Amino acid sequence: MADDQKSEKLSSYSDKVTKDNIRPLWDVLSTLVTPEPKSRCEAMLWHYDTVRPLLMEAGDLLTAKEAERRVLILENPGIPGESKITTSLYAGIQLVLPGEIAPAHKHSQSAFRFVLEGGNGAYTAVNGEKSYMEVGDLILTPSGTWHDHGNESDAPVLWLDGLDIPIVQFFDASFMEHHSEDEHPHTKGDGFSMARYGSGMLPVDYEAEMPTSPVMKYPYSRTREILFKMKETNEWDPCHGLKLMYVNPSDGKSAMPTLGAFMQLLPAGFETASYRSTDATVYSVVEGTGKTKIGDKTFEWGPKDTFVVPSWHHHHHIADGECVLFSYSDRPVQKALGLWREDRGNR
Ligand code: GTQ
């Protein structure tokens, strides 16, 4: 058969079988099984100075209660309309104004709040425990736990919401319920779970019911102190500076099964070595200014900015002064499935 005759026959064959919900593998194999990760996710940065005024404008338009959650989603430009910051993760910035309550609900999705602004009287109540917020605190909302947010302070509170919404969507495993009251019963005070589970001791015979940390709040004051203590020994990793992972103190694994969260310190003037890994990573700048080069793009950042590094993209950070960066990714999922890979440069 002549080449053009053959390709015409193959093409009409494909058209024919597709009508029966059948597809020839040879048409799609190279897009399904790629030699390297090929993602629609693009490198991107959102300046806090862009997002904050938009949220304050939303604050004039509707209450936290009317919205249920007054959140602006950070949507990846390569995946428009899907409410994703990476292929597997969600990010949003949430605003709760003084006196407001974002009403209690629970859902299959795991979430965390990473506090950007305000606090000092604003809180998230999770599973009966009321955690007051300070900038840089990480507060968990494990899958299936009742939670509501409130603000008893006289200033707005804003935080970064990280959720595994796209992962739960992928598995078609989403359930959610509203509580009958705006607030679920707040029976435990601030620091309850930290004292019980996060102080190097556990109640004897403790057995985890869920593969998630029993500690609800990881205060920044503590995280920062650990980083600066570690700094004294100068053991900087060329790719990461000093980087810590938030863990479940009862098993040493990731604090949440679907969301890996990290905090790192870069010394003034430090330029990290080129690095890439298969977990697309969302960063939130806590302290300092600097740049991140991702492929041929350069993103300049300062406190409270959010940026995303897609899977398997070479990147490195350049710190102007001393910098602290929070980040999260789907690493625990990839590790559990034996899929996670990293490449520490050597180029
Ligand atoms: O605060 O419970 O950004 O349910 C998205 C979904 C926040 C929350 C989000 C949610 C929440």
Side-chain angles (χ1 to χ4, degrees):
M1 237 186 310
D3 277 358
D4 52 349
Q5 209 185 351
K6 181 166 175 168
S7 76
E8 208 171 290
K9 284 204 161 165
L10 277 169
S11 155
S12 65
Y13 174 85
S14 293
D15 290 347
K16 183 179 77 178
V17 303
T18 308
K19 294 190 184 76
D20 291 324
N21 305 309
I22 289 167
R23 187 173 300 278
L25 176 62
W26 56 87
D27 283 347
V28 291
L29 182 57
S30 67
T31 60
L32 295 180
V33 183
T34 58
E36 290 203 342
K38 284 255 179 296
S39 178
R40 287 191 290 151
C41 175
E42 291 174 13
M44 187 65 195
L45 177 142
W46 292 262
H47 283 293
Y48 190 62
D49 286 353
T50 308
V51 184
R52 191 189 189 279
L54 296 173
L55 259 173
M56 296 311 290
E57 196 182 326
D60 290 335
L61 294 174
L62 80 181
T63 64
K65 188 168 173 172
E66 284 164 349
E68 185 160 345
R69 297 292 185 261
R70 192 199 288 111
V71 177
L72 290 179
I73 300 166
L74 305 184
E75 196 170 77
N76 194 286
I79 322 172
E82 295 189 29
S83 304
K84 298 174 175 186
I85 190 158
T86 70
T87 308
S88 61
L89 296 173
Y90 163 102
I93 313 275
Q94 180 157 179
L95 167 68
V96 182
L97 289 168
E100 288 190 322
I101 289 171
H105 68 199
K106 63 176 180 178
H107 40 67
S108 314
Q109 290 79 2
S110 297
F112 68 74
R113 329 285 157 200
F114 185 70
V115 183
L116 300 175
E117 178 187 326
N120 198 20
Y123 63 87
T124 282
V126 179
N127 211 12
E129 178 172 337
K130 211 169 169 183
S131 292
Y132 284 95
M133 297 173 153
E134 300 291 340
V135 170
D137 289 355
L138 181 78
I139 301 173
L140 310 184
T141 309
S143 173
T145 53
W146 289 114
H147 55 285
D148 47 79
H149 315 300
N151 187 351
E152 297 162 1
S153 82
D154 54 13
V157 64
L158 295 97
W159 63 76
L160 171 70
D161 278 324
L163 284 90
D164 58 4
I165 290 172
I167 296 177
V168 176
Q169 198 171 46
F170 176 78
F171 289 114
D172 288 332
S174 175
F175 294 93
M176 93 90 77
E177 269 178 69
H178 294 103
H179 201 274
S180 54
E181 306 290 327
D182 281 355
E183 295 174 294
H184 76 289
H186 300 167
T187 52
K188 298 167 248 175
D190 202 354
F192 177 88
S193 61
M194 169 68 93
R196 261 186 170 220
Y197 307 107
S199 309
M201 305 194 83
L202 289 174
V204 71
D205 297 332
Y206 169 76
E207 276 187 44
E209 287 159 30
M210 298 276 287
T212 197
S213 173
V215 174
M216 291 303 123
K217 178 166 76 172
Y218 294 70
Y220 185 50
S221 55
R222 230 175 77 135
T223 310
R224 195 175 193 282
E225 193 183 324
I226 302 163
L227 285 170
F228 281 82
K229 272 257 180 295
M230 287 175 70
K231 186 184 146 182
E232 290 166 12
T233 53
N234 265 317
E235 290 160 87
W236 305 102
D237 177 277
C239 297
H240 306 305
L242 283 172
K243 191 166 184 177
L244 300 171
M245 173 180 142
Y246 290 86
V247 300
N248 174 344
S250 75
D251 64 11
K253 294 186 179 156
S254 169
M256 310 193 103
T258 48
L259 299 162
F262 311 88
M263 190 75 100
Q264 76 197 95
L265 176 68
L266 303 174
F270 197 74
E271 179 164 347
T272 60
S274 181
Y275 179 82
R276 59 180 175 169
S277 60
T278 52
D279 53 327
T281 302
V282 182
Y283 287 85
S284 178
V285 181
V286 189
E287 295 185 37
T289 61
K291 298 192 263 295
T292 298
K293 294 194 172 170
I294 309 171
D296 54 12
K297 293 182 185 156
T298 301
F299 297 93
E300 295 196 21
W301 40 255
K304 309 183 200 303
D305 291 346
T306 312
F307 63 95
V308 58
V309 179
S311 164
W312 214 237
H313 279 46
H314 288 288
H315 62 280
H316 65 278
H317 310 296
I318 302 153
D320 296 340
E322 197 164 57
C323 290
V324 182
L325 301 176
F326 170 81
S327 59
Y328 70 102
S329 78
D330 62 12
R331 189 178 303 184
V333 181
Q334 293 201 30
K335 283 204 164 171
L337 302 176
L339 292 170
W340 187 74
R341 263 204 220 186
E342 66 174 347
D343 169 7
R344 292 178 57 93
N346 310 320
R347 292 199 304 154

Coordinates of all heavy atoms in Angstrom, one line a residue, residues 205-242:
D205 N -0.9 4.1 74.8 CA -1.8 3.3 74.0 C -2.5 4.1 72.9 O -3.5 3.7 72.3 CB -2.9 2.7 74.8 CG -2.4 1.7 75.8 OD1 -1.3 1.1 75.5 OD2 -3.0 1.5 76.9
Y206 N -1.9 5.3 72.6 CA -2.5 6.1 71.5 C -2.5 5.3 70.2 O -1.4 4.7 69.8 CB -1.6 7.4 71.3 CG -2.0 8.2 70.0 CD1 -3.2 8.9 69.9 CD2 -1.2 8.1 68.9 CE1 -3.5 9.6 68.7 CE2 -1.5 8.8 67.7 CZ -2.7 9.5 67.6 OH -3.0 10.2 66.5
E207 N -3.6 5.3 69.5 CA -3.6 4.7 68.2 C -4.3 5.6 67.2 O -5.4 6.1 67.5 CB -4.4 3.3 68.3 CG -3.5 2.2 68.7 CD -4.2 0.8 68.6 OE1 -4.9 0.6 67.6 OE2 -4.1 0.1 69.6
A208 N -3.7 5.9 66.1 CA -4.2 6.8 65.1 C -5.4 6.2 64.5 O -5.5 5.1 64.1 CB -3.1 7.1 64.1
E209 N -6.5 7.1 64.4 CA -7.7 6.7 63.7 C -7.6 7.0 62.2 O -8.2 6.4 61.4 CB -8.9 7.4 64.2 CG -9.3 6.9 65.6 CD -10.2 7.9 66.3 OE1 -10.9 8.7 65.7 OE2 -10.1 8.0 67.6
M210 N -6.7 8.0 61.9 CA -6.6 8.5 60.5 C -5.1 8.7 60.2 O -4.3 8.9 61.1 CB -7.3 9.9 60.4 CG -8.7 9.9 60.7 SD -9.6 9.4 59.2 CE -9.4 10.9 58.2
P211 N -4.7 8.6 58.9 CA -3.3 8.8 58.6 C -3.0 10.2 58.5 O -2.4 10.7 57.5 CB -3.2 8.1 57.2 CG -4.6 8.3 56.6 CD -5.6 8.3 57.7
T212 N -3.3 11.0 59.6 CA -3.1 12.4 59.6 C -2.6 12.8 60.9 O -2.9 12.2 61.9 CB -4.4 13.1 59.1 OG1 -4.1 14.4 58.7 CG2 -5.4 13.1 60.2
S213 N -1.9 14.0 61.0 CA -1.4 14.4 62.3 C -2.5 14.7 63.3 O -3.5 15.4 62.9 CB -0.5 15.6 62.1 OG -0.1 16.1 63.3
P214 N -2.3 14.3 64.6 CA -3.3 14.7 65.6 C -3.1 16.1 66.1 O -3.9 16.7 66.8 CB -3.1 13.7 66.7 CG -1.6 13.2 66.6 CD -1.3 13.4 65.1
V215 N -1.9 16.7 65.7 CA -1.7 18.1 66.1 C -2.3 19.1 65.1 O -2.1 19.0 63.9 CB -0.1 18.4 66.1 CG1 0.2 19.9 66.4 CG2 0.5 17.5 67.1
M216 N -3.1 20.0 65.6 CA -3.9 20.9 64.7 C -3.1 22.2 64.3 O -3.2 22.6 63.2 CB -5.2 21.4 65.3 CG -6.2 20.3 65.5 SD -6.6 19.5 63.9 CE -6.2 17.8 64.3
K217 N -2.2 22.7 65.2 CA -1.5 23.9 64.8 C 0.0 23.8 65.0 O 0.5 23.3 66.0 CB -2.0 25.1 65.7 CG -1.3 26.4 65.4 CD -1.9 27.6 66.0 CE -1.7 27.8 67.5 NZ -2.2 29.0 68.0
Y218 N 0.7 24.2 64.0 CA 2.2 24.2 64.0 C 2.6 25.7 64.0 O 2.6 26.3 62.9 CB 2.7 23.5 62.7 CG 2.5 22.0 62.7 CD1 1.2 21.5 62.5 CD2 3.5 21.1 62.9 CE1 1.0 20.2 62.5 CE2 3.3 19.8 62.8 CZ 2.0 19.3 62.6 OH 1.8 17.9 62.6
P219 N 2.8 26.3 65.2 CA 3.0 27.8 65.3 C 4.3 28.2 64.6 O 5.3 27.5 64.7 CB 3.1 28.0 66.8 CG 2.7 26.8 67.5 CD 2.9 25.6 66.5
Y220 N 4.3 29.3 63.9 CA 5.5 29.8 63.3 C 6.6 30.1 64.3 O 7.8 29.9 64.0 CB 5.2 31.1 62.4 CG 6.3 31.6 61.6 CD1 7.1 30.7 60.8 CD2 6.8 32.9 61.7 CE1 8.1 31.1 60.1 CE2 7.9 33.3 60.9 CZ 8.5 32.4 60.1 OH 9.6 32.9 59.4
S221 N 6.2 30.6 65.5 CA 7.3 30.9 66.5 C 8.2 29.7 66.7 O 9.4 29.8 66.8 CB 6.6 31.4 67.8 OG 5.7 30.4 68.2
R222 N 7.6 28.5 66.7 CA 8.3 27.3 67.0 C 9.1 26.9 65.7 O 10.3 26.5 65.8 CB 7.3 26.2 67.3 CG 7.7 25.4 68.5 CD 6.7 24.4 68.9 NE 6.7 23.2 68.0 CZ 6.6 22.0 68.5 NH1 6.5 21.8 69.8 NH2 6.7 21.0 67.6
T223 N 8.5 26.9 64.5 CA 9.1 26.5 63.3 C 10.3 27.4 63.1 O 11.4 27.0 62.7 CB 8.1 26.7 62.1 OG1 6.9 26.1 62.5 CG2 8.7 26.1 60.8
R224 N 10.2 28.7 63.3 CA 11.2 29.7 63.1 C 12.4 29.4 64.0 O 13.6 29.5 63.6 CB 10.7 31.1 63.3 CG 11.6 32.2 62.7 CD 10.9 33.6 62.9 NE 11.6 34.5 62.1 CZ 12.8 35.1 62.5 NH1 13.3 34.8 63.6 NH2 13.4 36.0 61.7
E225 N 12.1 29.1 65.3 CA 13.1 28.9 66.3 C 13.9 27.7 65.9 O 15.2 27.7 66.0 CB 12.4 28.7 67.6 CG 13.4 28.7 68.8 CD 12.6 28.4 70.1 OE1 11.4 28.8 70.2 OE2 13.2 27.7 70.9
I226 N 13.3 26.6 65.3 CA 14.0 25.4 64.9 C 15.0 25.8 63.8 O 16.1 25.4 63.8 CB 13.0 24.3 64.4 CG1 12.0 24.0 65.5 CG2 13.8 23.1 64.0 CD1 10.8 23.2 65.0
L227 N 14.5 26.5 62.8 CA 15.3 26.9 61.6 C 16.5 27.6 62.1 O 17.7 27.4 61.6 CB 14.5 27.7 60.6 CG 13.5 26.9 59.7 CD1 12.6 27.9 58.9 CD2 14.2 25.9 58.8
F228 N 16.3 28.6 63.0 CA 17.4 29.5 63.4 C 18.4 28.8 64.3 O 19.6 29.1 64.3 CB 16.9 30.8 63.9 CG 16.5 31.8 62.8 CD1 15.3 31.6 62.1 CD2 17.4 32.7 62.3 CE1 15.0 32.5 61.1 CE2 17.1 33.5 61.2 CZ 15.9 33.4 60.6
K229 N 17.9 27.8 65.1 CA 18.8 26.9 65.9 C 19.7 26.1 64.9 O 20.9 25.9 65.1 CB 18.0 26.0 66.7 CG 17.6 26.5 68.1 CD 18.5 25.9 69.2 CE 18.2 26.4 70.6 NZ 18.4 27.9 70.7
M230 N 19.0 25.5 63.9 CA 19.8 24.7 62.9 C 20.8 25.5 62.1 O 21.8 25.0 61.7 CB 18.8 24.0 61.9 CG 18.0 22.9 62.6 SD 16.8 22.2 61.5 CE 17.8 21.3 60.3
K231 N 20.5 26.8 62.0 CA 21.4 27.7 61.2 C 22.8 27.7 61.9 O 23.8 27.9 61.2 CB 20.8 29.1 61.2 CG 21.5 30.1 60.3 CD 20.8 31.4 60.5 CE 21.8 32.5 60.4 NZ 21.2 33.9 60.5
E232 N 22.8 27.6 63.2 CA 24.1 27.7 64.0 C 25.1 26.7 63.5 O 26.3 27.0 63.6 CB 23.8 27.5 65.5 CG 23.0 28.7 66.1 CD 22.5 28.4 67.5 OE1 22.9 27.3 68.1 OE2 21.6 29.1 67.9
T233 N 24.7 25.6 63.0 CA 25.7 24.6 62.5 C 26.0 24.7 61.0 O 26.8 23.9 60.5 CB 25.1 23.2 62.8 OG1 23.8 23.0 62.2 CG2 25.1 22.9 64.3
N234 N 25.4 25.7 60.4 CA 25.8 26.0 59.0 C 25.7 24.8 58.0 O 26.5 24.8 57.0 CB 27.2 26.5 59.0 CG 27.2 28.0 59.0 OD1 26.4 28.7 58.3 ND2 28.1 28.6 59.8
E235 N 24.8 23.9 58.2 CA 24.7 22.7 57.3 C 23.8 23.0 56.2 O 22.7 22.3 56.1 CB 24.3 21.5 58.1 CG 25.4 21.0 59.1 CD 24.9 20.1 60.2 OE1 24.8 18.9 59.9 OE2 24.5 20.6 61.2
W236 N 24.1 23.9 55.3 CA 23.2 24.3 54.3 C 23.2 23.2 53.2 O 24.3 22.8 52.7 CB 23.7 25.6 53.7 CG 23.8 26.7 54.7 CD1 24.9 27.2 55.3 CD2 22.7 27.4 55.3 NE1 24.6 28.2 56.2 CE2 23.2 28.3 56.2 CE3 21.3 27.4 55.1 CZ2 22.5 29.2 57.0 CZ3 20.5 28.3 55.9 CH2 21.1 29.1 56.8
D237 N 22.0 22.8 52.7 CA 21.9 21.9 51.6 C 22.1 22.8 50.3 O 21.4 23.8 50.2 CB 20.6 21.2 51.6 CG 20.4 20.3 50.4 OD1 20.0 20.8 49.4 OD2 20.7 19.1 50.6
P238 N 22.9 22.4 49.4 CA 23.0 23.2 48.2 C 21.7 23.5 47.4 O 21.6 24.6 46.9 CB 24.0 22.4 47.3 CG 24.3 21.2 48.0 CD 23.7 21.2 49.3
C239 N 20.8 22.6 47.4 CA 19.5 22.8 46.7 C 18.4 23.4 47.5 O 17.5 24.1 47.0 CB 19.0 21.4 46.2 SG 20.0 20.6 45.0
H240 N 18.5 23.3 48.9 CA 17.4 23.7 49.7 C 17.7 24.7 50.8 O 16.8 25.1 51.5 CB 16.7 22.5 50.4 CG 16.3 21.4 49.4 ND1 15.5 21.6 48.3 CD2 16.6 20.1 49.4 CE1 15.3 20.5 47.7 NE2 16.0 19.5 48.3
G241 N 19.0 25.0 51.0 CA 19.3 25.7 52.2 C 19.0 24.8 53.4 O 19.5 23.7 53.5
L242 N 18.2 25.3 54.4 CA 17.8 24.4 55.5 C 16.3 24.2 55.3 O 15.5 25.2 55.2 CB 18.0 25.1 56.8 CG 19.3 25.2 57.4 CD1 19.3 26.1 58.7 CD2 19.8 23.8 57.8

